[in-house]
Amino acid sequence: MAAHEILAATNAVVTLDVALPGTVWPWLVTVNMWAKSIGTGVIFMLFLLLRTHPDSVKNLRLPTALAAFIFINIFLLFTLADLHQPFRMWHIFVYPSFSSAIAWGSMMATTFLGLLTLLILLAWKKNDEVYDKVLLWTTILAIPVTLYTAALMSQCTARELWQMPTEAAQMVLAALLSGSAFMILMGGSKLSYEAKKSLGVILGLSALMSFIIYMSEYIFGPMKAEEVAAVLEYIKGDGPYTVMFWLGQWITYLLPMLLIILSRSSKSESILKLAAILALVGLFIVKHVWLMIPQLLPMS
């Protein structure tokens, strides 16, 4: 080995010198994804409602910015807690690897948090005109912030189940589902019935599309690769995650869709709120199952 190669090796920055556990991404990452979905989702919903029901949502500028700020901080906190060497996280910013989704995601999430802080200040000062301009850029940035976890999962090339196209779609749908559900609950009496009905449509369609994708992978996934078939065995038959998987599908997607239909026919806001609560609770279960099962399959 040449002298300059030896010197370069001795100057290497070690960022992960701990034993890898059997499950690399535990429940902390589930909280991470769940909170990020809500944090970006409520921004999507506020942007939409300000253009479709401006009078109804005009008093929700500050509560929405605060909610997004809190959930994005939960997302960042649990991301930090999951790092094997959390006190070295500054290396991501000082020595970034631009081929890594982690580096890009960290920078985008930090910028997103800064924009949310600005939105809170503008809402507190009641500067609605500037708020709405900043909200546009915040909404645009919320898209890659939502998608970056899908990119991170797709970079795990040894896990065949995690593919960028489907995971990206599921991340966006999770943000729309959780954002509309949270906005229904947070809006309360401030939102008009028409605004709540629009949020219910978004919630129901997001649930339907997400359920279709999961069922497509569940039924047709084994045809793609043997590893996918082996992974899906954990949620089929007597698999250890079968009950949790189907419980999540019912709580997150099927029951909310049914309740939304009932709420529209009866014009019951209570039923709509129940659908929103189930969707938020069930989303955590669904995300956890899909995060865990590929990690259970031995790679050798």
Side-chain angles (χ1 to χ4, degrees):
M1 182 181 292
H4 70 278
E5 293 176 328
I6 296 174
L7 183 61
T10 57
N11 291 330
V13 177
V14 179
T15 58
L16 182 61
D17 54 354
V18 296
L20 289 175
T23 301
V24 178
W25 288 346
W27 64 270
L28 294 170
V29 179
T30 308
V31 177
N32 166 317
M33 294 189 292
W34 181 79
K36 178 166 64 67
S37 295
I38 298 175
T40 56
V42 292
I43 292 298
F44 290 146
M45 293 304 106
L46 179 63
F47 181 80
L48 175 65
L49 290 175
L50 280 173
R51 280 148 183 78
T52 56
H53 305 280
D55 293 334
S56 178
V57 78
K58 62 183 179 181
N59 294 325
L60 289 177
R61 285 183 173 88
L62 181 57
T64 302
L66 284 171
F69 181 84
I70 291 171
F71 279 100
I72 291 300
N73 271 292
I74 293 173
F75 152 64
L76 293 173
L77 175 62
F78 277 84
T79 300
L80 183 64
D82 182 60
L83 294 178
H84 298 284
Q85 292 286 5
F87 295 108
R88 296 177 183 173
M89 57 80 61
W90 60 270
H91 289 196
I92 296 174
F93 300 95
V94 179
Y95 307 106
S97 173
F98 292 107
S99 62
S100 170
I102 295 177
W104 283 105
S106 300
M107 295 175 185
M108 290 188 298
T110 302
T111 305
F112 186 65
L113 188 62
L115 289 174
L116 292 176
T117 304
L118 181 57
L119 286 178
I120 292 173
L121 292 174
L122 291 171
W124 180 60
K125 293 184 177 181
K126 299 187 183 301
N127 193 338
D128 295 345
E129 183 178 353
V130 179
Y131 181 102
D132 292 348
K133 292 179 180 178
V134 176
L135 178 63
L136 170 62
W137 295 106
T138 308
T139 305
I140 293 173
L141 185 57
I143 298 172
V145 171
T146 298
L147 292 174
Y148 112 87
T149 309
L152 181 60
M153 295 172 74
S154 69
Q155 285 188 328
C156 302
T157 53
R159 310 294 174 180
E160 186 67 24
L161 185 65
W162 295 333
Q163 296 294 325
M164 183 61 186
T166 52
E167 294 306 319
Q170 290 288 28
M171 292 297 168
V172 172
L173 291 171
L176 295 176
L177 180 139
S178 60
S180 57
F182 195 88
M183 191 66 81
I184 288 170
L185 298 174
M186 182 176 65
S189 59
K190 296 179 182 178
L191 286 175
S192 65
Y193 174 74
E194 292 300 321
K196 291 179 182 178
K197 189 165 68 171
S198 297
L199 290 172
V201 171
I202 296 172
L203 174 56
L205 290 177
S206 300
L208 175 62
M209 295 173 68
S210 191
F211 178 74
I212 289 173
I213 293 174
Y214 275 121
M215 289 302 101
S216 297
E217 292 185 280
Y218 183 87
I219 297 170
F220 299 106
M223 300 178 186
K224 178 182 179 183
E226 291 182 359
E227 186 201 318
V228 174
V231 169
L232 293 179
E233 285 301 314
Y234 290 107
I235 57 175
K236 291 185 175 182
D238 296 327
Y241 278 83
T242 299
V243 174
M244 185 178 289
F245 174 77
W246 286 109
L247 187 65
Q249 297 296 312
W250 275 96
I251 294 176
T252 316
Y253 306 127
L254 296 176
L255 288 178
M257 283 190 286
L258 176 60
L259 290 173
I260 288 168
I261 293 172
L262 292 175
S263 70
R264 288 176 67 88
S265 62
S266 62
K267 294 186 178 182
S268 171
E269 295 187 8
S270 298
I271 296 178
L272 183 60
K273 289 180 180 179
L274 178 58
I277 293 171
L278 289 176
L280 288 171
V281 173
L283 184 63
F284 185 92
I285 301 173
V286 167
K287 288 295 183 184
H288 186 66
V289 171
W290 214 248
L291 176 71
M292 293 299 297
I293 57 175
Q295 299 184 78
L296 300 177
L297 186 68
M299 292 289 99
S300 61

